[in-house]
Amino acid sequence: IKNEMKKMKDLTSKPFGVNIAQAFVRDPKIADFVIDQGIRFVTTSAGSPTKYTKSLKENGLIVYHVVPTLRAALKAVDAGVDGLIVEGGEGGGFKGPKPVSSLVLLPLIRSKVDVPIIAAGGICDGVSMAAAFALGAEGVQMGTRMVSAAEAPVHHGWKNAIVDAAETDTCFLRTEGGPSLRALRTKTTERFEAGEGNAMEGLGGGVRGVYFEGKLENGVALTGQVAGRIESIRPVADI
């Protein structure tokens, strides 16, 4: 992470953000580390907003928390976050156990909170961004669309699988004692979907194969339903 931050500082003099995915944090000093690196913006996810928000904000950082439900959004606002990333259940990656679509979740949370909202889940272009704005968001976050971008440092096998995928070609994987996952449908993820094996272990153990070798059956390729709308690998500037 230190190396990635150094690369960012070499690329730009402007502020950039980092995500603290709490489900993977082993050292509680992660907040101190982020503060010491001079980071100004943090998103927290896959855990409680009460864990790091206070210390980060006391040191002048802007904190947004990722939420999959209204209840989680209200808890995050009560914890003092500056804004929310409202993530619909159709999005790829870590998910709450009871997914709610962006079309329902965004206007619901917007009607109950006053903080800025970044919409995530199901967004890949201007039309879906405009829809998110109409539903109450101030900004958008794209995952699957950026994984499949020309410059994304992942194997073309994964990018091509996203381009080839239909809107039905993802699995929703529930895990014991951890977040659920939405991933590309493969024989491996279908086994996890059927309750065979541990999807979180498959995710962690398959990173090299999936991300860098294009061996999608080696692990879990986190991908959203919006893959069904992505028809080509394009440069970030075009996206």
Side-chain angles (χ1 to χ4, degrees):
I1 293 172
K2 281 183 180 177
N3 289 337
E4 292 297 318
M5 289 183 180
K6 183 180 183 303
K7 289 178 187 177
M8 285 297 293
K9 290 174 181 177
D10 290 341
L11 287 167
T12 180
S13 60
K14 295 182 179 181
F16 59 90
V18 300
N19 171 244
I20 298 177
Q22 294 171 202
F24 291 101
V25 171
R26 294 185 178 89
D27 188 341
K29 295 177 184 175
I30 185 68
D32 295 330
F33 166 72
V34 169
I35 292 163
D36 291 344
Q37 296 300 308
I39 302 299
R40 309 310 304 158
F41 178 79
V42 170
T43 63
T44 54
S45 62
S48 173
T50 62
K51 192 165 187 179
Y52 298 114
T53 299
K54 186 172 184 292
S55 61
L56 290 168
K57 283 185 61 64
E58 284 177 348
N59 284 276
L61 280 75
I62 295 171
V63 181
Y64 278 46
H65 190 67
V66 181
V67 297
T69 63
L70 173 61
R71 181 180 179 184
L74 296 176
K75 182 177 180 181
V77 171
D78 286 344
V81 299
D82 297 289
L84 302 170
I85 298 174
V86 175
E87 195 167 64
E90 66 266 55
F94 302 117
K95 291 280 156 296
K98 299 176 180 179
V100 181
S101 74
S102 294
L103 193 64
V104 173
L105 193 61
L106 274 170
L108 173 62
I109 293 177
R110 177 74 287 164
S111 71
K112 304 294 183 182
V113 305
D114 294 325
V115 299
I117 288 174
I118 295 174
I123 300 163
C124 69
D125 59 4
V127 171
S128 43
M129 180 176 72
F133 291 169
L135 294 170
E138 280 77 31
V140 297
Q141 172 179 297
M142 295 188 291
T144 303
R145 175 70 275 192
M146 289 304 181
V147 168
S148 64
E151 296 91 338
V154 301
H155 195 278
H156 271 261
W158 186 3
K159 298 181 188 185
N160 290 329
I162 290 172
V163 170
D164 293 340
E167 76 279 9
T168 53
D169 285 340
T170 65
C171 294
F172 190 79
L173 309 175
R174 290 176 170 82
T175 65
E176 290 291 331
S180 298
L181 308 170
R182 184 174 296 284
L184 195 68
R185 183 175 296 279
T186 64
K187 291 178 181 178
T188 299
T189 56
E190 284 183 338
R191 286 197 296 271
F192 290 140
E193 187 179 37
E196 302 173 20
N198 186 309
M200 284 294 283
E201 289 181 4
L203 173 68
V207 168
R208 180 167 296 282
V210 170
Y211 281 71
F212 305 115
E213 298 171 2
K215 299 174 181 176
L216 302 185
E217 297 292 356
N218 283 21
V220 177
L222 300 177
T223 304
Q225 291 177 334
V226 78
R229 294 197 58 227
I230 296 171
E231 299 180 345
S232 61
I233 297 170
R234 298 170 61 192
V236 170
D238 289 353
I239 294 169

